[in-house]
């Protein structure tokens, strides 16, 4: 009895994903300069930050598609970048990822796209696959679109199909890369609730990358604000909203001036317009 | 001068690096081939798009090449009074040389470029990345079936090309120019050797099929994932394939038919 309790407690406290002192660069451009993050089991953790800071890159590092130049990333107790190829693939079956672009296979229909991971990884009979696929499509409101080809979908619809595909294998965690962009207010509301619902009902751990401060704060248990290769702030949404740091105030309220620069590093504007190159 | 040498060095290093990556990629494909054989459905779909869709192009080209060969050959041969050898001339040229080479060049333009563009676009739209994240190996799922389809289709297409070309030669030689029909076929039967001509032609077409498909798939896989990058990779596929075909043809011909 005591043992059991200790185990449960451990599961509560050891994070599902541990990111430790990760450095990463693209060519000469430093993207992460020592990042530490914890993602708790069964919680929704949000990553927010200006465009181009490397949020997508971080998800790819966690998924093992990119390798940090130093530091470690552990998922469910396994160091992602020390796994053998087979083990990595085994781990990935438990990770769902929703790509920013959707990344649907363009030569097969919506139905076949959602069925793809099931057909690749299980030996379920076709009737069962049909059942599962329709269930997942229904959850994202696109059961009626099952015969369409990906090219016939709008951007927002494609992302919802991709979500249905990401949950097809009932993963332990899902990484959402900008799930809300391109959604109208109604499907946005549905998606926000769906992410929370999936998290609670299936006990998933979720990572949500997003710019939509209001929607994200509504579902996130914990938020990391990332900029310039570092974690700037972290805490629960309430903590961040009440934080008096200039940085989080600027981001949470979306102002162009402040410690974060809206512009990509550039020459002085006036000089640039006059055509003076240094 | 020094900077010129430097640039030359940089270019050759990057060339060899690419060649190395290409070879590793090829080894990877070879190891994935068994998984394709277990799932022939993927292979059949690719045989359709790589092979069957090139069929009409190959048939029409083969017919015209055979007819032109007969016309040209007739006027040269008739100078020596050897019109009876027309069938041998047409069939030997096709089986040994033009069948494999012209088919491979057409195949690179038709199927090779399509393969590169398809795989390159899959990469640009993150489909390959997405597949990796779904724990599906894109080399097994995408590359290996296409490679095998190309390898099987090329010799079949080259054979069809030569056969149709011979029929074209027959139309012109016997139908139009009035050569004796019996002689046309009998000379061909007597002079064309199975291992010397047919087998060697077949070996050439297998080698060309291998090199074209390999180049096409690797260029797609290695393409810079933008529309411009994919466009360039497609061009490179056609150009590099053409060079590779002609160079290998020279080497193979020297080994097979030259007494070196
Ligand atoms: N393939 C690549 N090669 C070189 N640099 C890249 C590549 N992909 C991304 N980058 C660079 O890495 C940085 C981080 O990119 P990333 O896509 O992770 O940003 P992001 O935070 O997801 O932005 P957004 O919110 O706009 O999606 C960018 O500055 C970009 O210029
Ligand atoms: Mg991004």
């Amino acid at each position: 009895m005591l043992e059991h309790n200790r185990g449960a407690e451990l599961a509560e406290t050891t994070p599902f994903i541990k990111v430790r002192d990760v450095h990463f660069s693209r060519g000469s451009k430093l993207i992460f300069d020592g990042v530490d993050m914890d993602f708790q089991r069964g919680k929704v953790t949000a990553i927010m930050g200006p465009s181009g800071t490397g949020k997508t890159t971080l998800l790819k590092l966690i998924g093992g598609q990119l390798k940090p130049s130093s530091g470690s990333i552990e998922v469910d107790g396994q160091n992602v970048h020390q796994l053998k190829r087979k083990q990595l693939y085994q781990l990935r079956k438990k990770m769902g990822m929703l790509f920013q672009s959707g990344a649907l296979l363009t030569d097969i229909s919506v139905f076949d796209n959602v069925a793809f991971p099931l057909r690749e990884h299980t030996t379920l009979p076709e009737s069962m696959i049909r059942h599962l696929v329709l269930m997942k499509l229904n959850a994202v409101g696109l059961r009626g679109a099952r015969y369409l080809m990906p090219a016939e979908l709008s951007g927002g619809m494609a992302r919802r199909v991709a979500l249905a595909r990401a949950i097809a294998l009932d993963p332990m965690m899902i990484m959402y890369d900008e799930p809300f962009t391109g959604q109208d207010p109604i499907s946005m509301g549905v998606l926000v609730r769906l992410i929370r619902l999936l998290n609670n009902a299936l006990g998933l751990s979720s990572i949500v990358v997003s710019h939509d401060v209001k929607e994200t704060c509504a579902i996130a248990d914990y938020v990391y604000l990332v900029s310039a290769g570092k974690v700037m702030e972290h805490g629960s949404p309430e903590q961040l909203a009440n934080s008096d740091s200039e940085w989080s105030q600027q981001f949470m309220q979306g102002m162009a001036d402040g410690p974060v620069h809206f512009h990509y590093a550039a020459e002085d504007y006036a000089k640039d317009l006059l055509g003076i190159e240094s | 001068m020094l900077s010129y040498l430097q640039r030359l060095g940089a270019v050759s290093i990057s060339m060899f690096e690419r060649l190395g990556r290409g070879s590793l990629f090829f080894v990877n494909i070879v190891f994935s081939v068994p998984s394709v054989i277990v799932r022939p459905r993927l292979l059949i779909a690719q045989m359709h798009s790589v092979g069957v869709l090139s069929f009409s192009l190959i048939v029409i080209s083969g017919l015209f090449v055979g007819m032109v060969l007969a016309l040209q050959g007739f006027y040269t041969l008739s100078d020596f009074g050897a019109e009876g050898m027309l069938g041998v001339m047409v069939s030997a040229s096709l089986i040994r040389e033009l069948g494999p080479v012209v088919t491979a060049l057409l195949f690179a333009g038709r199927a090779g470029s399509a393969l590169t563009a398809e795989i390159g676009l899959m990469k640009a739209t993150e489909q390959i990345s997405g597949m990796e994240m779904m724990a599906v190996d894109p080399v097994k799922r995408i590359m290996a079936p296409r490679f095998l389809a190309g390898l099987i289709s090329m010799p079949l297409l080259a054979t069809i090309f030569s056969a149709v070309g011979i029929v074209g030669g027959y139309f012109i030689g016997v139908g139009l120019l009035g050569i004796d029909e019996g002689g046309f076929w009998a000379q061909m039967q007597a002079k064309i050797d199975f291992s010397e001509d047919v087998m060697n032609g077949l070996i050439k077409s297998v080698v060309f099929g291998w090199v074209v498909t390999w180049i096409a798939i690797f260029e797609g896989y290695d393409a810079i994932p933008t529309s411009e990058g994919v466009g360039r990779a497609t061009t490179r596929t056609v150009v590099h394939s053409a060079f590779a075909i002609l160079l290998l043809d020279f080497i193979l011909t020297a080994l097979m038919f030259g007494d070196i």
Side-chain angles (χ1 to χ4, degrees):
Chain A
M1 189 63 207
L2 205 75
E3 277 300 317
H4 178 81
N5 267 344
R6 263 242 312 270
E9 206 170 274
L10 207 67
E12 278 281 296
T13 51
T14 45
F16 185 62
I17 302 173
K18 270 200 279 189
V19 177
R20 287 291 172 269
D21 196 28
V22 163
H23 292 76
F24 181 78
S25 359
R26 286 258 196 207
S28 60
K29 192 173 188 292
L30 188 64
I31 300 196
F32 290 118
D33 186 15
V35 169
D36 294 286
M37 291 184 184
D38 282 334
F39 297 89
Q40 300 297 339
R41 228 173 263 271
K43 297 278 195 285
V44 178
T45 310
I47 302 173
M48 293 197 270
S51 186
T53 35
K55 301 179 300 294
T56 302
T57 308
L58 182 67
L59 296 186
K60 289 195 170 168
L61 284 164
I62 294 174
Q65 291 196 302
L66 295 172
K67 202 172 156 58
S69 47
S70 71
S72 70
I73 297 177
E74 266 182 33
V75 176
D76 200 18
Q78 293 173 289
N79 186 329
V80 176
H81 299 94
Q82 282 173 0
L83 292 177
K84 296 239 166 52
R85 193 183 165 72
K86 245 205 176 113
Q87 295 166 313
L88 179 63
Y89 270 50
Q90 215 54 41
L91 182 64
R92 280 185 185 162
K93 283 186 202 172
K94 298 187 255 172
M95 298 177 165
M97 170 133 173
L98 182 66
F99 280 77
Q100 204 163 352
S101 59
L104 296 175
L105 302 174
T106 45
D107 56 340
I108 53 179
S109 69
V110 164
F111 183 95
D112 291 329
N113 259 290
V114 180
F116 183 81
L118 293 166
R119 289 184 179 143
E120 288 292 319
H121 294 307
T122 68
T123 49
L124 295 174
E126 201 54 29
S127 61
M128 181 86 95
I129 287 181
R130 188 185 131 84
H131 200 90
L132 284 171
V133 170
L134 293 186
M135 217 164 76
K136 310 285 175 188
L137 278 175
N138 199 41
V140 296
L142 289 175
R143 189 163 46 87
R146 76 188 101 147
Y147 298 119
L148 297 182
M149 294 303 280
E152 298 168 303
L153 301 175
S154 73
M157 286 161 85
R159 202 150 317 128
R160 280 191 279 157
V161 174
L163 175 57
R165 184 178 69 175
I167 56 176
L169 281 177
D170 294 327
M172 295 197 302
M173 60 171 284
I174 306 189
M175 300 188 267
Y176 301 91
D177 197 353
E178 317 258 359
F180 306 128
T181 25
Q183 303 293 344
D184 60 74
I186 301 172
S187 38
M188 171 99 101
V190 173
L191 263 182
V192 169
R193 263 173 281 136
L194 185 64
I195 292 178
R196 192 69 242 186
L197 188 76
L198 283 171
N199 201 82
N200 297 354
L202 305 176
L204 291 171
S205 312
S206 314
I207 304 178
V208 181
V209 164
S210 178
H211 300 297
D212 298 88
V213 179
K214 198 168 107 288
E215 283 72 22
T216 312
C217 285
I219 51 168
D221 296 302
Y222 205 82
V223 179
Y224 282 94
L225 291 182
V226 188
S227 179
K230 299 251 190 219
V231 174
M232 287 297 186
E233 294 275 334
H234 56 105
S236 67
E238 297 78 40
Q239 280 170 336
L240 289 187
N242 300 326
S243 150
D244 42 355
S245 111
E246 247 185 295
W247 207 97
S248 47
Q249 285 305 323
Q250 188 202 349
F251 196 83
M252 304 300 259
Q253 282 157 29
M255 296 176 292
D257 286 314
V260 186
H261 300 294
F262 161 68
H263 293 284
Y264 195 90
E267 295 286 311
D268 182 65
Y269 193 27
K271 269 196 205 158
D272 228 358
L273 289 177
L274 293 172
I276 307 168
E277 294 268 349
S278 62
Chain B
M1 181 65 197
L2 203 65
S3 80
Y4 178 76
L5 275 180
Q6 235 168 20
R7 214 160 340 127
L8 192 74
V11 167
S12 29
I13 287 176
S14 78
M15 203 181 81
F16 280 112
E17 200 236 285
R18 240 175 103 76
L19 199 65
R21 257 182 306 143
S23 313
L24 282 179
F25 179 70
F26 175 67
V27 172
N28 216 336
I29 289 185
V30 170
F31 280 111
S32 307
V33 163
S35 71
V36 179
I37 296 172
V38 188
R39 280 173 69 180
R41 199 175 49 82
L42 290 175
L43 178 62
I44 291 166
Q46 287 311 315
M47 290 279 293
H48 178 77
S49 69
V50 171
V52 179
L53 296 182
S54 310
F55 183 78
S56 50
L57 174 69
I58 295 298
V59 167
I60 293 168
S61 313
L63 193 67
F64 279 103
V65 169
M67 296 199 310
V68 169
L69 267 180
L71 279 177
Q72 295 277 14
F74 179 79
Y75 292 111
T76 313
L77 289 174
S78 61
D79 280 350
F80 306 99
E83 301 92 355
M85 297 296 281
L86 188 68
V88 181
M89 198 225 101
V90 169
S91 55
S93 328
L94 280 168
I95 292 170
R96 286 176 166 208
E97 199 56 50
L98 291 173
V101 172
V102 178
T103 308
L105 291 172
L106 292 170
F107 184 73
R110 168 66 184 76
S113 59
L115 279 176
T116 306
E118 188 190 10
I119 294 173
L121 273 177
M122 282 183 145
K123 188 176 173 190
T125 53
E126 294 195 299
Q127 294 183 52
I128 296 200
S129 223
M131 215 174 252
E132 279 177 358
M133 278 310 293
M134 286 187 283
V136 176
D137 186 349
V139 174
K140 280 195 183 117
R141 187 67 175 58
I142 310 252
M143 317 297 164
R146 284 169 173 74
F147 176 75
L148 212 55
L151 199 65
I152 298 172
S153 302
M154 216 348 255
L156 294 176
L157 291 171
T159 309
I160 293 168
F161 184 96
S162 298
V164 175
I166 292 170
V167 173
Y170 168 81
F171 284 150
I172 295 296
V174 177
L176 194 72
L177 303 171
I179 290 172
D180 175 51
E181 183 173 358
F184 184 88
W185 295 117
Q187 290 282 359
M188 201 187 297
Q189 268 184 0
K191 290 279 172 11
I192 298 291
D193 184 63
F194 182 73
S195 72
E196 181 81 344
D197 299 308
V198 178
M199 279 320 274
N200 279 342
L202 210 59
I203 291 172
K204 276 187 177 179
S205 63
V206 172
V207 172
F208 297 160
W210 160 72
V211 75
V212 170
T213 325
W214 174 31
I215 290 178
I217 294 177
F218 178 66
E219 286 290 355
Y221 189 70
D222 202 48
I224 298 166
T226 58
S227 22
E228 195 200 3
V230 175
R232 280 198 202 168
T234 310
T235 311
R236 270 204 307 270
T237 292
V238 177
V239 174
H240 291 185
S241 298
F243 278 135
I245 291 164
L246 296 173
L247 179 73
L248 282 171
D249 184 48
F250 175 74
I251 295 173
L252 287 173
T253 306
L255 289 177
M256 289 167 172
F257 304 111
D259 286 317
I260 337 175

